[in-house]
Amino acid sequence: MPNKSDKLVALLAGQPVIPVLRIADARRAVPLARALARGGLPAIEITLRTDDAVEAIRRVAGEVGEAIVGAGTILDPAQYEAAVYAGSRFIVSPGITKELLKASADSDVPFLPGAITPGEIMAARQAGLHFLKFFPAEQAGGAAFLKALAAPIADVRFCPTGGVSPANASTYLGLPNVICVGGSWVAPDDLVEKEDWGRIEELAREASGLRKVG
């Protein structure tokens, strides 16, 4: 089975932290994306957890040329299609279903589904997906669990998300089967609501300075 994740790896590799964003007001999407890009984190995931999420994706895709905007919390093919139409360059889901696999097979936009059990990971691998979201990372066993998967499923790599923070990000990034981590700490809700783009840029710069070991 060909590796369908190569395009996604090319988009995200080299950026240690992918900001996971909840944007309640689409007017803030463009300055937020610009602040993160200035801080060294151009690839962002805007989650479909608010009514303004799709519009936020549309604005970033249309106005922030330096950004690589993706859509997260995609639960069904209709959301997949809407996110792609809005300009998403990659799609992230907390889990994996036959319907979402079909939607990804019919789309040129790469798919990063969540998987936490060996069975889910093997099913994704058989579908040609070799780069997966490990979610919720800390609750599912954390870095120790991922390290244990590295030998038996050596050709699958991960973006751990969920409970990842500055305190443990480097531990995840030190694993051979981790490409990057997803985190919300670089753009917390309170700073976004205050429109403190300067502080968000600082947090992004700190996060972009994290590097894989080995």
Side-chain angles (χ1 to χ4, degrees):
M1 177 69 69
N3 187 338
K4 297 179 181 178
S5 298
D6 289 343
K7 184 176 180 180
L8 185 58
V9 171
L11 279 177
L12 302 185
Q15 182 171 314
V17 179
I18 309 301
V20 179
L21 309 176
R22 178 186 177 277
I23 300 178
D25 185 343
R27 292 176 300 177
R28 295 176 175 143
V30 167
L32 173 57
R34 286 177 174 156
L36 291 167
R38 285 195 303 269
L41 301 180
I44 61 174
E45 174 191 336
I46 296 177
T47 62
L48 265 64
R49 298 182 185 180
T50 69
D51 292 339
D52 273 17
V54 172
E55 177 61 21
I57 292 167
R58 184 177 293 110
R59 293 190 184 194
V60 173
E63 299 180 39
V64 190
E66 63 270 34
I68 302 168
V69 61
T73 322
I74 298 298
L75 304 179
D76 55 53
Q79 290 183 333
Y80 199 121
E81 182 178 359
V84 170
Y85 186 76
S88 297
R89 294 176 63 184
F90 61 96
I91 298 294
V92 185
S93 174
I96 188 168
T97 67
K98 291 184 292 185
E99 292 78 11
L100 283 173
L101 285 175
K102 174 66 165 56
S104 72
D106 293 338
S107 175
D108 291 331
V109 176
F111 183 38
L112 182 68
I116 56 174
T117 68
E120 290 171 344
I121 294 164
M122 290 167 63
R125 181 181 178 277
Q126 289 174 7
L129 299 171
H130 291 249
F131 180 25
L132 306 173
K133 176 178 180 176
F134 184 68
F135 174 83
E138 282 293 282
Q139 295 85 346
F145 189 93
L146 272 179
K147 183 177 181 180
L149 291 173
I153 314 177
D155 60 349
V156 177
R157 291 178 286 175
F158 297 91
C159 176
T161 306
V164 181
S165 71
N168 59 18
S170 293
T171 300
Y172 282 106
L173 290 168
L175 298 176
N177 55 348
V178 168
I179 290 178
C180 56
V181 300
S184 59
W185 79 86
V186 293
D189 289 345
D190 61 330
L191 292 183
V192 174
E193 290 170 6
K194 289 190 294 185
E195 301 185 0
D196 191 346
W197 312 129
R199 178 56 181 151
I200 288 173
E201 182 180 341
E202 290 175 3
L203 291 172
R205 188 166 289 109
E206 292 169 5
S208 68
L210 296 170
R211 287 290 175 256
K212 283 189 59 61
V213 178

Short mmCIF file of all heavy atoms in Angstrom, two decimals, residues 24-83:
data_model
loop_
_atom_site.label_atom_id
_atom_site.label_comp_id
_atom_site.label_asym_id
_atom_site.label_seq_id
_atom_site.Cartn_x
_atom_site.Cartn_y
_atom_site.Cartn_z
N ALA A 24 -13.20 31.61 18.44
CA ALA A 24 -14.62 31.90 18.62
C ALA A 24 -15.06 33.09 17.78
O ALA A 24 -16.26 33.24 17.51
CB ALA A 24 -14.92 32.15 20.09
N ASP A 25 -14.12 33.93 17.38
CA ASP A 25 -14.44 35.12 16.59
C ASP A 25 -13.53 35.13 15.37
O ASP A 25 -12.31 35.30 15.49
CB ASP A 25 -14.21 36.38 17.44
CG ASP A 25 -14.64 37.66 16.72
OD1 ASP A 25 -14.80 37.64 15.49
OD2 ASP A 25 -14.81 38.68 17.41
N ALA A 26 -14.11 34.96 14.19
CA ALA A 26 -13.31 34.84 12.97
C ALA A 26 -12.48 36.09 12.70
O ALA A 26 -11.47 36.01 12.01
CB ALA A 26 -14.23 34.56 11.78
N ARG A 27 -12.87 37.23 13.25
CA ARG A 27 -12.09 38.46 13.03
C ARG A 27 -10.69 38.36 13.62
O ARG A 27 -9.79 39.10 13.22
CB ARG A 27 -12.83 39.65 13.64
CG ARG A 27 -14.15 40.00 12.94
CD ARG A 27 -14.87 41.12 13.66
NE ARG A 27 -15.19 40.73 15.03
CZ ARG A 27 -15.78 41.53 15.92
NH1 ARG A 27 -16.08 42.78 15.59
NH2 ARG A 27 -16.05 41.10 17.14
N ARG A 28 -10.51 37.46 14.58
CA ARG A 28 -9.20 37.32 15.21
C ARG A 28 -8.30 36.32 14.48
O ARG A 28 -7.12 36.18 14.82
CB ARG A 28 -9.38 36.88 16.66
CG ARG A 28 -10.08 37.92 17.53
CD ARG A 28 -10.32 37.39 18.92
NE ARG A 28 -10.88 38.42 19.80
CZ ARG A 28 -11.81 38.21 20.73
NH1 ARG A 28 -12.28 36.99 20.92
NH2 ARG A 28 -12.26 39.20 21.47
N ALA A 29 -8.84 35.61 13.52
CA ALA A 29 -8.10 34.51 12.90
C ALA A 29 -6.85 34.99 12.17
O ALA A 29 -5.77 34.41 12.30
CB ALA A 29 -9.00 33.74 11.95
N VAL A 30 -6.98 36.05 11.39
CA VAL A 30 -5.86 36.53 10.58
C VAL A 30 -4.72 37.07 11.44
O VAL A 30 -3.56 36.66 11.28
CB VAL A 30 -6.34 37.56 9.54
CG1 VAL A 30 -5.16 38.30 8.92
CG2 VAL A 30 -7.14 36.86 8.45
N PRO A 31 -4.98 37.98 12.40
CA PRO A 31 -3.86 38.44 13.23
C PRO A 31 -3.25 37.33 14.07
O PRO A 31 -2.04 37.34 14.33
CB PRO A 31 -4.47 39.55 14.09
CG PRO A 31 -5.95 39.35 14.02
CD PRO A 31 -6.22 38.75 12.69
N LEU A 32 -4.06 36.37 14.48
CA LEU A 32 -3.54 35.24 15.24
C LEU A 32 -2.60 34.40 14.39
O LEU A 32 -1.48 34.06 14.81
CB LEU A 32 -4.69 34.38 15.76
CG LEU A 32 -4.32 33.07 16.45
CD1 LEU A 32 -3.39 33.30 17.63
CD2 LEU A 32 -5.58 32.33 16.91
N ALA A 33 -3.03 34.07 13.18
CA ALA A 33 -2.19 33.28 12.28
C ALA A 33 -0.90 34.01 11.95
O ALA A 33 0.17 33.39 11.89
CB ALA A 33 -2.96 32.94 11.00
N ARG A 34 -0.99 35.31 11.76
CA ARG A 34 0.22 36.08 11.46
C ARG A 34 1.19 36.10 12.64
O ARG A 34 2.41 36.01 12.45
CB ARG A 34 -0.18 37.50 11.05
CG ARG A 34 -0.78 37.57 9.65
CD ARG A 34 -1.23 38.96 9.28
NE ARG A 34 -1.68 39.02 7.88
CZ ARG A 34 -2.52 39.91 7.40
NH1 ARG A 34 -3.02 40.85 8.20
NH2 ARG A 34 -2.87 39.89 6.13
N ALA A 35 0.66 36.23 13.85
CA ALA A 35 1.52 36.23 15.03
C ALA A 35 2.23 34.90 15.18
O ALA A 35 3.43 34.85 15.49
CB ALA A 35 0.69 36.54 16.28
N LEU A 36 1.51 33.81 14.96
CA LEU A 36 2.11 32.48 15.08
C LEU A 36 3.17 32.27 13.99
O LEU A 36 4.25 31.71 14.26
CB LEU A 36 1.03 31.41 14.99
CG LEU A 36 0.08 31.36 16.19
CD1 LEU A 36 -1.15 30.50 15.87
CD2 LEU A 36 0.79 30.82 17.43
N ALA A 37 2.89 32.73 12.78
CA ALA A 37 3.87 32.59 11.70
C ALA A 37 5.13 33.42 11.99
O ALA A 37 6.25 32.94 11.76
CB ALA A 37 3.25 33.00 10.37
N ARG A 38 4.95 34.62 12.51
CA ARG A 38 6.12 35.44 12.86
C ARG A 38 6.97 34.75 13.92
O ARG A 38 8.19 34.89 13.95
CB ARG A 38 5.67 36.81 13.38
CG ARG A 38 5.18 37.77 12.32
CD ARG A 38 5.11 39.19 12.85
NE ARG A 38 4.27 39.31 14.04
CZ ARG A 38 2.96 39.58 14.02
NH1 ARG A 38 2.33 39.75 12.86
NH2 ARG A 38 2.29 39.69 15.15
N GLY A 39 6.30 33.99 14.80
CA GLY A 39 7.01 33.28 15.84
C GLY A 39 7.63 31.97 15.37
O GLY A 39 8.26 31.25 16.16
N GLY A 40 7.44 31.62 14.11
CA GLY A 40 8.05 30.42 13.57
C GLY A 40 7.14 29.21 13.47
O GLY A 40 7.61 28.10 13.22
N LEU A 41 5.82 29.43 13.64
CA LEU A 41 4.86 28.32 13.56
C LEU A 41 3.81 28.61 12.49
O LEU A 41 2.66 28.95 12.79
CB LEU A 41 4.18 28.10 14.92
CG LEU A 41 5.09 27.79 16.11
CD1 LEU A 41 4.25 27.61 17.38
CD2 LEU A 41 5.94 26.55 15.85
N PRO A 42 4.17 28.49 11.22
CA PRO A 42 3.21 28.80 10.15
C PRO A 42 2.09 27.78 9.99
O PRO A 42 0.99 28.12 9.55
CB PRO A 42 4.08 28.86 8.90
CG PRO A 42 5.26 28.00 9.21
CD PRO A 42 5.51 28.18 10.68
N ALA A 43 2.35 26.51 10.32
CA ALA A 43 1.33 25.46 10.20
C ALA A 43 0.46 25.46 11.45
O ALA A 43 0.96 25.34 12.56
CB ALA A 43 1.97 24.10 10.00
N ILE A 44 -0.85 25.64 11.25
CA ILE A 44 -1.77 25.72 12.37
C ILE A 44 -2.98 24.83 12.12
O ILE A 44 -3.34 24.57 10.98
CB ILE A 44 -2.24 27.17 12.61
CG1 ILE A 44 -2.97 27.72 11.38
CG2 ILE A 44 -1.05 28.06 12.99
CD1 ILE A 44 -3.58 29.10 11.58
N GLU A 45 -3.59 24.39 13.20
CA GLU A 45 -4.83 23.61 13.13
C GLU A 45 -5.94 24.41 13.79
O GLU A 45 -5.90 24.68 14.99
CB GLU A 45 -4.65 22.26 13.85
CG GLU A 45 -5.93 21.45 13.96
CD GLU A 45 -5.79 20.25 14.89
OE1 GLU A 45 -4.65 19.78 15.11
OE2 GLU A 45 -6.83 19.79 15.43
N ILE A 46 -6.93 24.80 13.00
CA ILE A 46 -8.11 25.48 13.54
C ILE A 46 -9.19 24.44 13.74
O ILE A 46 -9.65 23.80 12.78
CB ILE A 46 -8.59 26.60 12.60
CG1 ILE A 46 -7.51 27.68 12.48
CG2 ILE A 46 -9.90 27.20 13.10
CD1 ILE A 46 -7.86 28.81 11.52
N THR A 47 -9.60 24.23 14.98
CA THR A 47 -10.56 23.18 15.30
C THR A 47 -11.98 23.63 15.00
O THR A 47 -12.35 24.78 15.23
CB THR A 47 -10.44 22.76 16.77
OG1 THR A 47 -10.77 23.90 17.60
CG2 THR A 47 -9.05 22.29 17.10
N LEU A 48 -12.79 22.69 14.54
CA LEU A 48 -14.19 22.99 14.27
C LEU A 48 -15.00 22.82 15.55
O LEU A 48 -15.93 22.00 15.64
CB LEU A 48 -14.73 22.08 13.16
CG LEU A 48 -14.67 22.69 11.74
CD1 LEU A 48 -13.24 22.93 11.33
CD2 LEU A 48 -15.37 21.78 10.75
N ARG A 49 -14.64 23.62 16.54
CA ARG A 49 -15.33 23.58 17.82
C ARG A 49 -16.13 24.84 18.09
O ARG A 49 -16.69 25.00 19.17
CB ARG A 49 -14.31 23.37 18.95
CG ARG A 49 -13.55 22.05 18.85
CD ARG A 49 -12.59 21.86 20.01
NE ARG A 49 -11.79 20.67 19.85
CZ ARG A 49 -10.87 20.27 20.72
NH1 ARG A 49 -10.64 20.99 21.81
NH2 ARG A 49 -10.16 19.16 20.51
N THR A 50 -16.16 25.74 17.13
CA THR A 50 -16.92 26.98 17.26
C THR A 50 -17.69 27.23 15.97
O THR A 50 -17.37 26.70 14.91
CB THR A 50 -16.01 28.18 17.53
OG1 THR A 50 -15.25 28.46 16.36
CG2 THR A 50 -15.07 27.93 18.71
N ASP A 51 -18.70 28.08 16.07
CA ASP A 51 -19.50 28.41 14.89
C ASP A 51 -18.69 29.18 13.85
O ASP A 51 -19.01 29.15 12.66
CB ASP A 51 -20.71 29.25 15.30
CG ASP A 51 -21.71 28.46 16.12
OD1 ASP A 51 -21.70 27.21 16.04
OD2 ASP A 51 -22.52 29.10 16.84
N ASP A 52 -17.63 29.89 14.29
CA ASP A 52 -16.84 30.70 13.38
C ASP A 52 -15.65 29.96 12.78
O ASP A 52 -14.87 30.55 12.03
CB ASP A 52 -16.32 31.94 14.11
CG ASP A 52 -17.31 33.10 14.07
OD1 ASP A 52 -18.49 32.85 13.78
OD2 ASP A 52 -16.90 34.25 14.35
N ALA A 53 -15.48 28.68 13.10
CA ALA A 53 -14.26 27.97 12.71
C ALA A 53 -14.05 27.93 11.20
O ALA A 53 -12.94 28.20 10.71
CB ALA A 53 -14.28 26.57 13.29
N VAL A 54 -15.08 27.58 10.45
CA VAL A 54 -14.91 27.46 8.99
C VAL A 54 -14.60 28.82 8.39
O VAL A 54 -13.73 28.94 7.51
CB VAL A 54 -16.15 26.84 8.35
CG1 VAL A 54 -16.05 26.89 6.82
CG2 VAL A 54 -16.31 25.38 8.79
N GLU A 55 -15.26 29.86 8.86
CA GLU A 55 -14.96 31.21 8.36
C GLU A 55 -13.54 31.62 8.74
O GLU A 55 -12.84 32.29 7.96
CB GLU A 55 -15.97 32.21 8.92
CG GLU A 55 -15.71 33.66 8.53
CD GLU A 55 -15.75 33.91 7.03
OE1 GLU A 55 -16.35 33.09 6.29
OE2 GLU A 55 -15.17 34.92 6.59
N ALA A 56 -13.09 31.23 9.93
CA ALA A 56 -11.71 31.52 10.34
C ALA A 56 -10.72 30.86 9.39
O ALA A 56 -9.72 31.48 8.98
CB ALA A 56 -11.47 31.06 11.77
N ILE A 57 -10.98 29.61 9.03
CA ILE A 57 -10.11 28.91 8.08
C ILE A 57 -10.11 29.64 6.74
O ILE A 57 -9.06 29.85 6.13
CB ILE A 57 -10.59 27.45 7.91
CG1 ILE A 57 -10.34 26.66 9.20
CG2 ILE A 57 -9.89 26.79 6.72
CD1 ILE A 57 -11.04 25.31 9.24
N ARG A 58 -11.28 30.04 6.29
CA ARG A 58 -11.39 30.74 5.01
C ARG A 58 -10.58 32.03 5.01
O ARG A 58 -9.87 32.34 4.04
CB ARG A 58 -12.86 31.04 4.71
CG ARG A 58 -13.11 31.68 3.35
CD ARG A 58 -14.59 31.88 3.09
NE ARG A 58 -15.27 30.59 2.95
CZ ARG A 58 -16.14 30.09 3.84
NH1 ARG A 58 -16.42 30.77 4.94
NH2 ARG A 58 -16.70 28.93 3.63
N ARG A 59 -10.65 32.77 6.09
CA ARG A 59 -9.93 34.04 6.15
C ARG A 59 -8.42 33.83 6.18
O ARG A 59 -7.67 34.54 5.50
CB ARG A 59 -10.39 34.85 7.37
CG ARG A 59 -11.83 35.31 7.27
CD ARG A 59 -12.18 36.30 8.36
NE ARG A 59 -13.59 36.65 8.30
CZ ARG A 59 -14.14 37.68 8.94
NH1 ARG A 59 -13.38 38.47 9.70
NH2 ARG A 59 -15.44 37.93 8.83
N VAL A 60 -7.97 32.87 6.96
CA VAL A 60 -6.53 32.61 7.03
C VAL A 60 -6.02 32.12 5.67
O VAL A 60 -4.98 32.57 5.17
CB VAL A 60 -6.20 31.60 8.14
CG1 VAL A 60 -4.73 31.21 8.08
CG2 VAL A 60 -6.53 32.19 9.51
N ALA A 61 -6.77 31.20 5.06
CA ALA A 61 -6.35 30.66 3.76
C ALA A 61 -6.27 31.76 2.70
O ALA A 61 -5.41 31.75 1.82
CB ALA A 61 -7.31 29.57 3.32
N GLY A 62 -7.18 32.73 2.79
CA GLY A 62 -7.24 33.77 1.78
C GLY A 62 -6.35 34.96 2.03
O GLY A 62 -5.98 35.67 1.07
N GLU A 63 -5.97 35.20 3.30
CA GLU A 63 -5.28 36.45 3.63
C GLU A 63 -3.88 36.28 4.22
O GLU A 63 -3.13 37.26 4.29
CB GLU A 63 -6.13 37.26 4.62
CG GLU A 63 -7.50 37.65 4.08
CD GLU A 63 -8.32 38.43 5.09
OE1 GLU A 63 -7.73 39.27 5.81
OE2 GLU A 63 -9.54 38.18 5.17
N VAL A 64 -3.54 35.08 4.64
CA VAL A 64 -2.23 34.88 5.29
C VAL A 64 -1.43 33.89 4.45
O VAL A 64 -1.46 32.68 4.68
CB VAL A 64 -2.39 34.39 6.75
CG1 VAL A 64 -1.04 34.43 7.46
CG2 VAL A 64 -3.41 35.23 7.51
N GLY A 65 -0.71 34.43 3.49
CA GLY A 65 0.00 33.57 2.56
C GLY A 65 1.09 32.74 3.20
O GLY A 65 1.44 31.67 2.71
N GLU A 66 1.62 33.23 4.32
CA GLU A 66 2.70 32.49 4.99
C GLU A 66 2.19 31.34 5.85
O GLU A 66 2.98 30.53 6.35
CB GLU A 66 3.54 33.45 5.85
CG GLU A 66 2.80 34.11 7.00
CD GLU A 66 2.15 35.44 6.65
OE1 GLU A 66 1.68 35.59 5.50
OE2 GLU A 66 2.09 36.31 7.52
N ALA A 67 0.88 31.26 6.05
CA ALA A 67 0.31 30.23 6.92
C ALA A 67 0.00 28.95 6.14
O ALA A 67 -0.29 28.98 4.95
CB ALA A 67 -0.96 30.74 7.59
N ILE A 68 0.07 27.83 6.86
CA ILE A 68 -0.39 26.53 6.35
C ILE A 68 -1.54 26.14 7.26
O ILE A 68 -1.33 25.64 8.36
CB ILE A 68 0.73 25.49 6.39
CG1 ILE A 68 1.94 25.95 5.57
CG2 ILE A 68 0.24 24.14 5.89
CD1 ILE A 68 3.19 25.10 5.80
N VAL A 69 -2.76 26.40 6.82
CA VAL A 69 -3.90 26.22 7.71
C VAL A 69 -4.55 24.86 7.49
O VAL A 69 -4.79 24.44 6.36
CB VAL A 69 -4.93 27.36 7.52
CG1 VAL A 69 -5.49 27.40 6.11
CG2 VAL A 69 -6.07 27.23 8.55
N GLY A 70 -4.79 24.19 8.59
CA GLY A 70 -5.50 22.92 8.57
C GLY A 70 -6.74 23.00 9.44
O GLY A 70 -6.90 23.92 10.24
N ALA A 71 -7.61 22.04 9.29
CA ALA A 71 -8.84 21.97 10.06
C ALA A 71 -8.80 20.77 10.98
O ALA A 71 -8.43 19.67 10.57
CB ALA A 71 -10.06 21.86 9.14
N GLY A 72 -9.19 21.00 12.25
CA GLY A 72 -9.20 19.91 13.22
C GLY A 72 -10.60 19.62 13.74
O GLY A 72 -11.56 20.33 13.44
N THR A 73 -10.69 18.56 14.53
CA THR A 73 -11.96 18.08 15.09
C THR A 73 -12.96 17.78 13.97
O THR A 73 -14.16 18.06 14.09
CB THR A 73 -12.55 19.07 16.11
OG1 THR A 73 -11.51 19.63 16.90
CG2 THR A 73 -13.51 18.34 17.08
N ILE A 74 -12.46 17.21 12.88
CA ILE A 74 -13.32 16.80 11.78
C ILE A 74 -13.92 15.44 12.14
O ILE A 74 -13.19 14.48 12.37
CB ILE A 74 -12.53 16.72 10.47
CG1 ILE A 74 -11.96 18.08 10.08
CG2 ILE A 74 -13.39 16.15 9.35
CD1 ILE A 74 -12.99 19.14 9.81
N LEU A 75 -15.25 15.37 12.18
CA LEU A 75 -15.93 14.16 12.65
C LEU A 75 -16.64 13.38 11.56
O LEU A 75 -17.00 12.22 11.78
CB LEU A 75 -16.94 14.54 13.74
CG LEU A 75 -16.40 15.30 14.95
CD1 LEU A 75 -17.53 15.63 15.92
CD2 LEU A 75 -15.31 14.49 15.66
N ASP A 76 -16.88 13.99 10.40
CA ASP A 76 -17.63 13.30 9.35
C ASP A 76 -17.26 13.87 7.99
O ASP A 76 -16.62 14.92 7.89
CB ASP A 76 -19.14 13.41 9.59
CG ASP A 76 -19.61 14.85 9.72
OD1 ASP A 76 -19.32 15.66 8.81
OD2 ASP A 76 -20.27 15.17 10.72
N PRO A 77 -17.66 13.19 6.91
CA PRO A 77 -17.28 13.65 5.57
C PRO A 77 -17.80 15.03 5.22
O PRO A 77 -17.14 15.77 4.47
CB PRO A 77 -17.89 12.57 4.66
CG PRO A 77 -17.91 11.34 5.50
CD PRO A 77 -18.25 11.83 6.88
N ALA A 78 -18.96 15.42 5.73
CA ALA A 78 -19.49 16.75 5.43
C ALA A 78 -18.56 17.83 5.98
O ALA A 78 -18.30 18.85 5.31
CB ALA A 78 -20.90 16.90 6.00
N GLN A 79 -18.06 17.63 7.18
CA GLN A 79 -17.12 18.59 7.75
C GLN A 79 -15.81 18.58 6.97
O GLN A 79 -15.19 19.63 6.76
CB GLN A 79 -16.87 18.27 9.22
CG GLN A 79 -18.05 18.55 10.12
CD GLN A 79 -17.73 18.27 11.58
OE1 GLN A 79 -16.87 17.44 11.90
NE2 GLN A 79 -18.43 18.95 12.48
N TYR A 80 -15.37 17.41 6.55
CA TYR A 80 -14.15 17.29 5.74
C TYR A 80 -14.30 18.15 4.48
O TYR A 80 -13.43 18.97 4.16
CB TYR A 80 -13.95 15.82 5.37
CG TYR A 80 -12.57 15.41 4.92
CD1 TYR A 80 -11.86 14.43 5.60
CD2 TYR A 80 -11.97 15.97 3.80
CE1 TYR A 80 -10.59 14.03 5.19
CE2 TYR A 80 -10.71 15.57 3.37
CZ TYR A 80 -10.03 14.60 4.07
OH TYR A 80 -8.78 14.21 3.66
N GLU A 81 -15.42 17.98 3.79
CA GLU A 81 -15.66 18.71 2.55
C GLU A 81 -15.73 20.22 2.79
O GLU A 81 -15.16 21.01 2.04
CB GLU A 81 -16.95 18.23 1.90
CG GLU A 81 -17.26 18.89 0.57
CD GLU A 81 -18.53 18.36 -0.07
OE1 GLU A 81 -19.17 17.46 0.52
OE2 GLU A 81 -18.90 18.85 -1.15
N ALA A 82 -16.43 20.62 3.86
CA ALA A 82 -16.56 22.05 4.16
C ALA A 82 -15.20 22.67 4.48
O ALA A 82 -14.91 23.80 4.05
CB ALA A 82 -17.52 22.25 5.33
N ALA A 83 -14.38 21.95 5.22
CA ALA A 83 -13.06 22.46 5.58
C ALA A 83 -12.16 22.59 4.35
O ALA A 83 -11.42 23.56 4.20
CB ALA A 83 -12.42 21.56 6.63
#
